[in-house]
Amino acid sequence: RNNKTSKNSSSGRIRISLSLTCLLVTAFSISLIGLVFQFIAVHRIGNRSNDHINNAAAATSLMRGATTQNAPPQQQNKPPKKKPVIAYTVTITGCSEKNYSAKEATSLITQGAAVLQHSIHLAHTTTSSKYDYQMYAIIHPAATSCSVTPMKQLGYQVLVRNTPFHNSDIQTKFLRENIDGASCCGAKEFLKLYAYTLKEPVAVILDLDSLVLRPMDELFDVMLMEDENIGGDGQYDHHHDDERRKMVDQLPIHHRTMSSDGSNHKEDVSSSSLYNKRIDAFYTRDYNMINPGGEKYAGVQGGFLMLRPDEDVFAEYVDLVLQGNYIDGRGWGGKYGYFYGGAQVQGICSYYFGELHPEKGVELNRCRVNQMVDAPRFDMKMKE
């Protein structure tokens, strides 16, 4: 009996131990399963967060890529296209020692140069002008003491130049002896011709008593479009003909009225004649300087001349002066320049564009360009 009791007690302890073991294993398994599920959940959340981050980064990168791909060419790390530069020139021939002290001359020159420069600056920077500008002061050695310093301070590029010829080299006696007379500046006025030697595509000759009130882009456009339409083969590209016609039609061309016999005659320069023409210069004329009936030979107004720089043209002008074909009482070529200042720039330019190279220049309406508020003299029949 005692043996049976011992066996039963041992069997009970074994069953209790097995039950406890099963409970521990079950609890451990449940804990392990919970940890596994927690790990999986955390891993998934982490992956989702990374996916959001990666997706956001990818979206940002895609947007940046789209911005770069769709950007205009100039925004793809390319420098902006530089504006063509227009040269503006003034000439200073002396310090007027007879009329002003050196200090007074410097003050007057500075005032005129400052106002002119500021007007040009406004015309090019406060509007939608397609062009930049550079100021030049062409100064005779006789004027350096009163002008070089202030002109540099105002931002002008100073060019000190002598008259482009020696008076003694002029072939004809009359012009050789009179080229310094009947004008403001004599032979020194030919300093203006140095504008033809500049590097810019267009140069504008002005006097210090002038103002630029608005951009002159329509004139620059017509002159420079000719260059843009010349292809690599040297042939003119007619692809932009319609655009050029529209530009030319808007030019303020002068329609000259002449009266050689007391009657009115209108010489019409139509826009259509300029459609396929290379324009090397724009100018106006000074009709106050001639007598009625001589309008065809009126001088080019020396205070405004827009030109295409060309060393060959500069040399041609100098040769014309040296040939001296200025006839007493009649002018250059016997027709142009018999008026005050006619032996200098106003007369020789009129001769150049009126007689020698009429195909190179276009006269503009002086009521719209280079306006001087003038009152040209006419005879009584023309006034009627």
Side-chain angles (χ1 to χ4, degrees):
R1 185 178 177 181
N2 292 333
N3 289 336
K4 287 182 179 180
T5 301
S6 299
K7 288 180 179 179
N8 290 335
S9 299
S10 297
S11 297
R13 286 194 296 270
I14 291 171
R15 284 194 294 270
I16 292 171
S17 297
L18 290 174
S19 297
L20 290 173
T21 302
C22 289
L23 288 172
L24 291 172
V25 170
T26 301
F28 178 75
S29 298
I30 291 171
S31 298
L32 183 61
I33 291 170
L35 289 172
V36 170
F37 276 109
Q38 185 177 2
F39 174 77
I40 292 172
V42 172
H43 181 68
R44 285 181 176 175
I45 292 173
N47 283 343
R48 287 177 182 174
S49 298
N50 289 335
D51 288 342
H52 285 304
I53 293 171
N54 291 335
N55 289 339
T60 303
S61 177
L62 183 61
M63 290 174 64
R64 288 175 178 171
T67 301
T68 302
Q69 292 173 7
N70 296 330
Q74 64 268 24
Q75 295 182 7
Q76 296 182 359
N77 298 324
K78 291 184 179 180
K81 185 177 180 181
K82 292 184 177 180
K83 293 182 177 182
V85 178
I86 305 300
Y88 289 87
T89 72
V90 297
T91 55
I92 303 175
T93 58
C95 296
S96 300
E97 293 86 352
K98 294 181 180 180
N99 301 316
Y100 305 100
S101 67
K103 184 177 181 180
E104 290 173 333
T106 299
S107 177
L108 291 172
I109 291 170
T110 303
Q111 292 175 42
V115 173
L116 174 60
Q117 191 274 344
H118 186 60
S119 73
I120 292 171
H121 178 76
L122 293 178
H124 281 269
T125 59
T126 62
T127 66
S128 57
S129 175
K130 296 180 292 185
Y131 301 91
D132 203 347
Y133 71 96
Q134 173 63 53
M135 305 298 301
Y136 286 92
I138 303 172
I139 300 175
H140 192 273
T144 55
S145 62
C146 63
S147 60
V148 168
T149 298
M151 298 306 280
K152 286 183 177 179
Q153 291 174 341
L154 290 171
Y156 285 74
Q157 184 171 334
V158 171
L159 305 176
V160 178
R161 298 289 186 269
N162 270 301
T163 306
F165 53 83
H166 295 291
N167 292 8
S168 59
D169 292 333
I170 297 174
Q171 297 176 15
T172 59
K173 180 181 179 181
F174 178 81
L175 186 62
R176 184 170 60 246
E177 295 178 350
N178 292 277
I179 196 168
D180 280 323
S183 70
C184 69
C185 315
K188 295 176 184 177
E189 190 178 359
F190 286 97
L191 289 180
K192 293 184 176 184
L193 296 180
Y194 281 110
Y196 277 104
T197 67
L198 299 177
K199 63 181 184 300
E200 285 76 11
V202 175
V204 184
I205 297 173
L206 296 172
D207 283 342
L208 283 177
D209 58 355
S210 58
L211 286 173
V212 175
L213 300 179
R214 68 176 185 84
M216 294 182 282
D217 284 22
E218 69 273 19
L219 302 179
F220 305 145
D221 288 345
V222 172
M223 291 186 73
L224 297 181
M225 190 176 185
E226 179 78 19
D227 296 337
E228 295 174 358
N229 287 348
I230 300 297
D233 57 358
Q235 299 298 314
Y236 184 81
D237 179 9
H238 293 276
H239 180 69
H240 299 289
D241 277 358
D242 289 341
E243 183 180 356
R244 179 176 173 81
R245 289 190 184 100
K246 291 179 182 178
M247 289 181 179
V248 172
D249 286 339
Q250 296 175 359
L251 290 177
I253 299 171
H254 173 71
H255 301 284
R256 185 183 306 138
T257 299
M258 296 182 297
S259 177
S260 58
D261 57 358
S263 62
N264 293 337
H265 171 67
K266 189 173 184 179
E267 182 185 14
D268 189 10
V269 181
S270 64
S271 298
S272 59
S273 65
L274 305 176
Y275 286 157
N276 297 318
K277 176 180 177 179
R278 174 187 168 95
I279 299 175
D280 289 326
F282 286 114
Y283 59 89
T284 62
R285 291 181 182 270
D286 192 343
Y287 291 99
N288 282 308
M289 304 303 293
I290 47 88
N291 295 319
E295 288 82 6
K296 182 177 180 180
Y297 308 109
V300 167
Q301 212 291 315
F304 168 82
L305 179 60
M306 183 181 295
L307 55 88
R308 190 191 303 269
D310 188 328
E311 292 273 2
D312 291 338
V313 176
F314 173 77
E316 184 177 4
Y317 268 111
V318 173
D319 286 342
L320 288 175
V321 176
L322 295 179
Q323 290 169 15
N325 187 19
Y326 185 91
I327 300 174
D328 182 16
R330 296 167 62 185
W332 295 97
K335 302 175 184 177
Y336 301 84
Y338 187 58
F339 44 76
Y340 182 81
Q344 292 79 30
V345 168
Q346 296 198 151
I348 199 170
C349 285
S350 180
Y351 178 48
Y352 185 87
F353 293 118
E355 184 84 10
L356 301 179
H357 297 288
E359 76 284 357
K360 289 190 174 184
V362 174
E363 182 182 355
L364 299 177
N365 185 342
R366 73 187 187 284
C367 293
R368 294 179 57 187
V369 181
N370 196 26
Q371 169 59 256
M372 299 178 63
V373 197
D374 61 351
R377 296 184 297 271
F378 297 104
D379 60 22
M380 293 305 297
K381 291 183 180 179
M382 293 187 69
K383 288 182 179 180
E384 295 172 357

